[in-house]
């Protein structure tokens, strides 16, 4: 079996457990396709055999496991606040099943309720692309967008753009009370902006969402037919 290996704190627990089972001989023949350089390093450290996406496509990715930043009632997701959205979407969209593991705080009535929706953009002309994204939501109360930055080199009191594993930048979109409207239409309009590579709305991709509740119970939510 070939697995898509997610990125983030939740996925890290899955990697550790998968490594334990492989070392115990309980999962012979399992290999993974990592969704980020960080996951690649973690998976290698715990002994998970790795494949690139092009090599895995022949054998088909049977199952991807990852967390999410938000999950709406239709199991649409916001992912990629850590910056790995492009590789996550490529790999998790290429498989047969995509299982998402979250705690109940990630359940939202609408996407964009709890934080940024990330958009990966090419560095060339990034301020121009940011302006086009702002224009798309011009007049929407409470909307704002910015380029994600991180502290510059040590000793410098400056900020510099966050750079993804693909060498791109991230624009963060914020909505006062989440996104209202046709998500697929909004997705299409974002992707038609030249300079936008991909966005962090994962629409109709999750097949199962496993929710850990505060009281210790677990709920399993399946995609509606």
């Amino acid at each position: 079996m070939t697995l898509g290996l997610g990125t983030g704190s939740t996925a890290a627990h899955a990697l550790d457990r998968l490594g334990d089972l492989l070392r115990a001989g309980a999962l012979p023949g399992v290999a993974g396709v990592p969704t980020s350089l960080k996951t690649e390093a973690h998976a290698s450290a715990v002994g998970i055999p790795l494949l690139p996406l092009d090599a895995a496509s022949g054998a088909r990715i049977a199952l991807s496991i990852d967390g999410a930043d938000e999950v709406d009632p239709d199991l649409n997701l916001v992912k990629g606040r850590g910056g790995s959205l492009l590789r996550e979407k490529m790999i998790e969209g290429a498989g047969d099943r995509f299982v998402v593991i979250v705690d109940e705080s990630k359940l939202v009535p609408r996407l964009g309720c709890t934080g940024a929706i990330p958009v990966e953009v090419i560095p060339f002309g990034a301020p121009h692309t940011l302006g086009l994204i702002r224009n798309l939501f011009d007049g929407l109360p409470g909307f704002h967008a910015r380029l994600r930055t991180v502290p510059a080199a040590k000793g410098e009191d400056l900020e510099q753009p966050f750079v993804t594993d693909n060498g791109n930048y991230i624009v963060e979109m914020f909505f006062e009370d989440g996104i209202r409207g046709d998500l697929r239409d909004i997705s299409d309009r974002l992707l038609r902006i030249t300079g936008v590579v991909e966005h962090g709305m994962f629409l109709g991709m999750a097949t199962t969402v496993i929710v850990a509740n505060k009281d210790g119970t677990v709920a399993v939510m399946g995609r509606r037919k």
Side-chain angles (χ1 to χ4, degrees):
M1 176 182 280
T2 301
L3 302 175
L5 306 176
T7 295
S9 57
T10 300
H13 293 297
L15 294 177
D16 288 337
R17 180 61 176 150
L18 184 57
D20 291 342
L21 292 168
L22 282 166
R23 288 191 298 274
L27 292 175
V30 168
V33 183
T35 56
S36 67
L37 297 178
K38 183 176 182 180
T39 293
E40 181 179 342
H42 187 160
S44 295
V46 298
I48 301 172
L50 297 177
L51 294 171
L53 180 58
D54 55 342
S57 59
R60 188 73 178 169
I61 297 172
L63 170 69
S64 294
I65 305 170
D66 207 348
D69 299 303
E70 293 182 348
V71 181
D72 79 3
D74 294 318
L75 305 194
N76 296 313
L77 317 172
V78 170
K79 289 181 50 58
R81 289 179 183 165
S84 301
L85 62 100
L86 177 58
R87 297 191 188 194
E88 287 176 335
K89 191 172 281 190
M90 289 178 69
I91 291 166
E92 290 157 1
D96 296 328
R97 296 176 61 210
F98 175 26
V99 174
V100 178
I101 304 171
V102 296
D103 66 66
E104 63 180 325
S105 69
K106 304 299 177 68
L107 302 181
V108 296
R110 288 173 302 283
L111 298 187
C113 282
T114 65
I117 294 179
V119 181
E120 189 158 344
V121 303
I122 66 168
F124 175 78
H128 172 72
T129 306
L130 172 60
L132 295 176
I133 292 171
R134 286 171 171 161
N135 290 342
L136 189 62
F137 299 96
D138 186 40
L140 182 65
F143 173 81
H144 69 282
R146 68 188 182 194
L147 196 65
R148 179 182 296 177
T149 59
V150 294
K154 190 175 181 180
E156 297 182 25
D157 188 21
L158 298 170
E159 297 281 311
Q160 63 186 17
F162 171 89
V163 179
T164 71
D165 287 349
N166 313 299
N168 295 319
Y169 294 169
I170 294 288
V171 168
E172 298 176 314
M173 304 190 305
F174 294 90
F175 297 83
E176 189 172 59
D177 190 32
I179 302 180
R180 296 179 183 271
D182 187 328
L183 294 178
R184 293 192 180 277
D185 178 62
I186 294 168
S187 167
D188 289 344
R189 286 190 284 154
L190 278 169
L191 294 175
R192 284 198 296 266
I193 296 174
T194 303
V196 167
V197 180
E198 189 52 86
H199 58 70
M201 293 186 293
F202 285 50
L203 307 179
M205 291 180 59
T207 50
T208 305
V209 175
I210 299 172
V211 184
N213 297 309
K214 289 180 181 178
D215 62 5
T217 61
V218 174
V220 179
M221 304 162 61
R223 186 169 64 194
R224 298 170 186 171
K225 300 294 186 182

